[in-house]
Amino acid sequence: MKTTTTTTMTTTTNVATRVAQPRSTSVKRRVMRAASSSSSLSSSSSVSSSVLSSQSGLRRRVDDVVLKAIQEPETETSASSSSSSSSSTSIRDIKWKMKDMRKQMAENEDLDVLMSGLRGTNIDQSDFAEQGVEMKVIDFDKYDEGTNEDKLPLVYDPEAIERYWSKRSGAVVQRALQLVSIGGGFISGLIADFITKKTEENSVERAIQLREIVTSLGPAYIKLGQALAIRPDLLGPQAMVELQKLCDKVPSFDNELAFQTLENELGCKWQDVYSELGPEPVAAASLGQVYKGVLKSNGATVAVKVQRPAVLETVSIDLFVLRRVGLFLRTVEGFNTDVVALLDEWALRFFEELDYVNEGKNQIKFAKSIKKDLPQVVVPGTYMEYTRRKVITSEWLEGEKLSQSTADDVGDLVKVGVICYLKQLLDTGFFHADPHPGNLIRTPDGRLAILDFGLMTQIDENIKYGMIEAISHLIHRDYDAIVNDFVTLDFIAEGTDLSPLSAPLGRVFDQALEGGGAKSINFQELASDLAQITFDFPFRIPPYFAIIIRAIGVLEGIALVGDPDFALVDEAYPYLSKRLLTSNDDERLQEALRYMVYGKSTVFDADRLIDLLEALESFKRDVTTSSGVTAEASINLEKKTSREALQFVLSPQGSFFREFLLDEVVKGVDALSRESAVAVLTSVGLKDAKIPILFPILGLPNSIALAPKVTQEDKETAENVTKLLNFLLGRNESGSTSNENAFSRETFEEMRPFLPAVANQILPTLVERLSSRLAARAVREIFV
């Protein structure tokens, strides 16, 4: 495994099982195999899907929605070429194509509902359960037939859990009867739907039933239900909406029990630690409930989360029962999902979430990882001296849920959130694995607070680099490299023969990236290619990717409420440019930058490089304006006359990029000097003149050309260097080298701190490299 996460997801891209009607018997057989196969489904949602049964029928609802959405514009399209006229595409192109596609999707009612579900728009954000909700539990003390040494493991161990509950058959029987009594009607309905072939027709009704009963079954089933609520590959859009009304809120438990747990964990009376506490919880969830208190030691206001009694027992007995069901399903012919393996993987992370000491450490580690670069993000402090396995004491943060805020700066905070999650993904690798609207708070001072660190995942280094490399390959439409990126990113297993994949993948991406928007795409051909790719190759959605999509989807959903034109590319690309351009000590990122601006050419792409530099300027602007700067500082920022990009190039942070730029400037100056020489000689009629060698040496020519050679590569280099320097110096886009926009006094003052480095390091280096290049060229032209 490349990451430690909660889920393992489906290997079959379900869109492909429906987007194109099979045109041959062999393709039909592949469709049937794809629909019936199931490999690594999400651990949480796969267990739910085994409860829901009839997986393929539910999945087809999503496929039908996508099929309908992509076929509707078909009458307005004409046959399009299967390849692009351009070998690369720009970020701006991708941005507008994404916006156009989102608009097309929004016009389809079912697909719009689906996207709302992925963005978490319908998630219930209440602080408590609805009135009348009762959670069924077992009186575990009544059935405690083991010895004092016979304890449940604190770290997930299925064998130890098996031994523990095998000795307590009474509790297991009672729990099984509870499950049957609560869920019997639901399961009977599913069986009836399957027999009468009404699985899809009744899926919404079944989702409503599941939502109504799952809270009463306890923490394990609540978590499974929540995971299912964001899985469009398992449920149709309307069913997803119903399950998203499920909230991780249950009836609060008795305060006396909570305070008793608190005192048992702390080893003292709660009054010895807190001068104030409660008296009632401010929120209750499946694992615990939160009280507002005041520390006796320093008077700080704190949030005290106390774990629900018998959570470990409740979760482990449910896992014991479900595991038994999974072992039985292994014997059922034709049922290919390994429920036991999926349960074990999910349970491993769930047990970590039960340890509040682990959550406290995660909270501290996360805060430290973003403190320097993201002062706009707040993570509550943790009081580890008052934190135990079942109790965590954290700093109390005032604020409102970002998704419910009407403040003017919500859009800015969404940008901060995107940068924060990109930093986790592409930099620190320590990823917040439970992103939902309730965990994103706007503080009164206009900062973004992130809560709940019980569930984190570590992104593998290879995955972090692989994502950046895949973006650069996509921009240059290097499909052979993208195929290998799929392996790096764990979408395709290592050892798979990838040679047949490049051509169909190229057709898919070329159509998606072609100009003219969504209506220019030949959807029938695109659908056919997608189907063929997913039939022939074992694609899978890696666990970390599902978490990323959820996090970004939630942020996008919040942003779209206030800004219908919000584009994720606008926020993500600036951070990506910052990572690439400041990669002074990272050889793999430096190589990704080189590929981004060169592709497979020997001449760099000035427009691509300018895109990166403009994105970097945008990133610095966004970070500055959303950092709580004063009005005066904002005005000064607007008054700056020099380019932020030029200051970056001359700064220590831009050392690697400066080295790269110096090499290109040397090439450009050399090419421009030769072009100028040829122009002068041509004007006086000496373009073809030769200089005789009076004392020829054996093997050398008798004469050499007066005019230097100028290749097409030289011309392109000169043009690109001129364009880049004009950009950095703030000149017009025509590439004019006139002095009409010469530096002002203000610009000189802004650049003053960098002038010593220019005089002492940059200019000498430039002269030295230029001299070496000119000498080498002269020798080459004479002797070669």
Side-chain angles (χ1 to χ4, degrees), residues 62 77-78 85 124 145 174 187 219 228 234 294 300 327 355 390 424 529 568 577 608 737-738 749 774:
V62 175
T77 64
S78 58
S85 60
D124 190 326
E145 302 161 11
Q174 184 181 351
I187 295 173
L228 188 63
L234 298 177
V294 176
L327 290 171
D355 185 356
K390 296 182 180 180
Q424 298 168 48
D529 287 331
L568 183 62
S577 71
R608 184 91 59 216
T737 56
S738 67
E749 291 299 323
L774 293 175

Side-chain angles (χ1 to χ4, degrees), residues 509-528:
F509 277 116
D510 278 340
Q511 287 206 58
L513 297 174
E514 193 61 63
K519 292 184 179 181
S520 69
I521 298 175
N522 185 328
F523 282 97
Q524 190 64 34
E525 185 176 340
L526 177 62
S528 176

Side-chain angles (χ1 to χ4, degrees), residues 652-696:
Q653 194 178 26
S655 60
F656 167 71
F657 180 76
R658 184 166 60 249
E659 288 296 309
F660 156 81
L661 183 59
L662 282 174
D663 285 340
E664 294 303 325
V665 168
V666 166
K667 294 178 186 177
V669 170
D670 180 26
L672 284 170
S673 66
R674 280 181 282 158
E675 279 191 328
S676 299
V678 170
V680 170
L681 291 172
T682 301
S683 67
V684 296
L686 296 177
K687 179 182 179 182
D688 298 321
K690 293 182 180 293
I691 302 174
I693 297 178
L694 299 178
F695 303 101

Side-chain angles (χ1 to χ4, degrees), residues 156-195:
Y156 182 64
D157 182 344
E159 288 76 20
I161 291 173
E162 174 84 19
R163 291 193 299 271
Y164 184 90
W165 289 114
S166 294
K167 298 177 181 178
R168 294 161 174 80
S169 56
V172 175
V173 170
Q174 184 181 351
R175 186 56 173 169
L177 290 174
Q178 281 184 349
L179 297 176
V180 171
S181 64
I182 296 172
F186 172 71
I187 295 173
S188 299
L190 283 178
I191 295 173
D193 291 343
F194 180 77
I195 294 174

Side-chain angles (χ1 to χ4, degrees), residues 170-410:
V172 175
V173 170
Q174 184 181 351
R175 186 56 173 169
L177 290 174
Q178 281 184 349
L179 297 176
V180 171
S181 64
I182 296 172
F186 172 71
I187 295 173
S188 299
L190 283 178
I191 295 173
D193 291 343
F194 180 77
I195 294 174
T196 59
K197 302 185 185 303
K198 293 184 177 180
T199 301
E200 295 183 39
E201 179 182 338
N202 295 335
S203 64
V204 175
E205 179 183 348
R206 300 303 173 215
I208 294 173
Q209 289 179 336
L210 180 62
R211 172 175 58 83
E212 291 174 344
I213 67 174
V214 75
T215 300
S216 63
L217 293 177
Y221 292 94
I222 291 172
K223 295 291 184 181
L224 293 176
Q226 285 181 318
L228 188 63
I230 59 167
R231 287 300 303 273
D233 55 328
L234 298 177
L235 288 181
Q238 299 297 338
M240 281 178 61
V241 170
E242 288 301 325
L243 271 187
Q244 283 177 4
K245 295 175 183 177
L246 170 70
C247 128
D248 182 20
K249 310 299 173 187
V250 295
S252 59
F253 58 94
D254 185 78
N255 290 325
E256 186 176 343
L257 286 175
F259 288 179
Q260 184 61 52
T261 299
L262 179 60
E263 292 180 349
N264 290 342
E265 291 292 304
L266 294 177
C268 62
K269 292 290 185 181
W270 69 261
Q271 292 89 345
D272 294 338
V273 176
Y274 311 99
S275 57
E276 298 178 24
L277 189 64
E280 298 294 330
V282 295
S286 57
L287 297 184
Q289 59 194 36
V290 179
Y291 294 87
K292 185 176 182 180
V294 176
L295 281 179
K296 195 172 183 179
S297 59
N298 60 9
T301 304
V302 292
V304 183
K305 183 163 66 173
V306 183
Q307 194 169 108
R308 184 175 293 274
V311 166
L312 180 62
E313 289 81 0
T314 302
V315 169
S316 62
I317 195 173
D318 286 339
L319 289 171
F320 173 78
V321 172
L322 289 173
R323 215 168 180 276
R324 287 292 181 92
V325 173
L327 290 171
F328 167 75
L329 291 175
R330 280 180 173 176
T331 66
V332 176
E333 186 176 354
F335 191 89
N336 300 319
T337 302
D338 190 348
V339 175
V340 174
L342 298 172
L343 270 173
D344 287 344
E345 184 178 348
W346 173 76
L348 182 67
R349 299 306 308 282
F350 196 3
F351 266 61
E352 290 180 9
E353 197 173 359
L354 296 178
D355 185 356
Y356 288 172
V357 172
N358 184 61
E359 178 175 347
K361 291 178 179 178
N362 287 342
Q363 205 159 281
I364 294 171
K365 180 179 178 181
F366 185 87
K368 185 178 180 180
S369 70
I370 64 169
K371 181 178 180 180
K372 179 181 178 181
D373 294 333
L374 289 169
Q376 317 94 305
V377 177
V378 183
V379 176
T382 306
Y383 294 90
M384 292 302 295
E385 62 269 39
Y386 307 124
T387 295
R388 303 291 187 271
R389 181 175 177 83
K390 296 182 180 180
V391 173
I392 181 171
T393 304
S394 302
E395 174 188 4
W396 179 271
L397 293 179
E398 295 288 350
E400 58 183 341
K401 292 175 182 176
L402 186 63
S403 59
Q404 298 175 350
S405 175
T406 58
D408 295 336
D409 59 1
V410 168

